[in-house]
Amino acid sequence: MILKLPLKPQALTILGSTGSIGTSTLDVVARHPNLFSVFALTGASKVDLMLEQCLRFKPIYALMVEDAPAKQLEALLQSKGSKTQVLRGAKNLDELASHPDVDTVMAAIVGAAGLSSCLAAARAGKRLLLANKEALVVGGELFLSEVRTGGAKLLPIDSEHSAIFQSLPEDSSTWRECVEKIILTASGGPFRSRSPDTLHLVTPAEACSHPNWVMGQKISVDSATMMNKCLEVIEAHYLFGLDPSKIDVVIHPQSIVHSMVEYKDTSVVAQLGTPDMRVPIAYGLGWPNRIESGAKPLHFQTTPPMSFEDFDSNEHRARFPGLLLAWEVLKATPGSPAVLNAANEIAVHSFLAGKIGFTQIHEVNLRTLELFVPSAPHTLEDLLELDARARQTALQVISELV
Ligand code: NAD
Ligand code: MG
């Protein structure tokens, strides 16, 4: 009799383990102790949560980006007899993402701060689970070429992109010929029916209370402005290699259909489920198999009626002017998506800090794109410089606004 040897557990580095995607990832990982082992966890500043995660998942390394939290974590872990080694500083993120003992990297840092570690994982040929959409928006073709040359496997974690990935044929060489378009669904966020005239009064707390999803602050604000969907259109363009004219958006307030693919023969294939990020996370972790996610199944008998609306109506254009920038920056000079992303990160940060109003986020994005026309980036250094200069421009725009 031939015995089937147990497969070696996938060794994981979870970049951004203390965030919303990071904690959901660990929730799925905890359900499958035989399938996964945790090699490294990283976070910016939440010491208590990182301590709890280290004691439970026993990673070899835990990294805190900031110095003081790293020191605090180290002392606390030592006092508990933990063997986890504490690292500090953003420069070590790349090493944890590309370490030879790591099979899979969950990229769940928020913003362009995650770009370098994503590229490191891509170059090292890892299985790369991408939640950090800003990294792909900024990295664009350069990111994809690192994935190709490094032999990495890029798996989308964003729920819409996971839905599209699940609805596309396995053979990516046929996507362009057989797909008419892909349709990203958008909930419309907390202000889908709010009068556009009152949007300037929106507070950070209101913007962060999403009707269907519990997420980090930045993506919550992006969902309220629909800049999240704008970034997702750009993300879809790079992930699936489709012309921007083949990417559509439809508003679907119930967030049950997570996105769809329309084929040449007009057939539409969609992925549905309850709005719970553990589903796309489990799909990425288990791919090409399916593993338990912990999410509640969908009961069609009790599901609220599903509705769909055009995002491109006059009212929605007034509410969500940022969404259309996706198609504009994809047509503009290479590097323009990175400029838009940088401006938006600065604008959202300033909004959350109470420095600018909600509707000024779009003003900052638009003005930064007008003022800063980039030259095409060819290296990571070019991209980082472009990102830094776009941020400076956005800060200057903000100083003129307030
Ligand atoms: P979050 O703010 O909850 O968590 C972010 C994580 O990144 C935290 O662990 C934080 O410590 C770490 N971090 C923050 N700044 C950092 C820096 N400068 N350097 C290194 N680490 C840093 O964010 P989130 O909601 O989990 O989102 C993470 C990413 O996933 C974002 O790109 C977001 O767009 C994407 N995403 C999130 C969701 C969701 O439901 N939350 C859904 C789809 C995609
Ligand atoms: Mg999404």
Side-chain angles (χ1 to χ4, degrees), residues 133 158-160 228-229 232:
K133 67 192 85 183
D158 219 343
S159 58
E160 296 78 0
N228 181 50
K229 211 50 57 182
E232 289 184 356

Side-chain angles (χ1 to χ4, degrees), residues 362-383:
H362 178 63
E363 283 180 50
V364 173
N365 293 346
L366 206 56
R367 190 81 190 110
T368 305
L369 281 170
E370 282 165 5
L371 286 176
F372 184 65
V373 179
S375 39
H378 299 293
T379 62
L380 174 62
E381 288 65 40
D382 292 350
L383 272 177

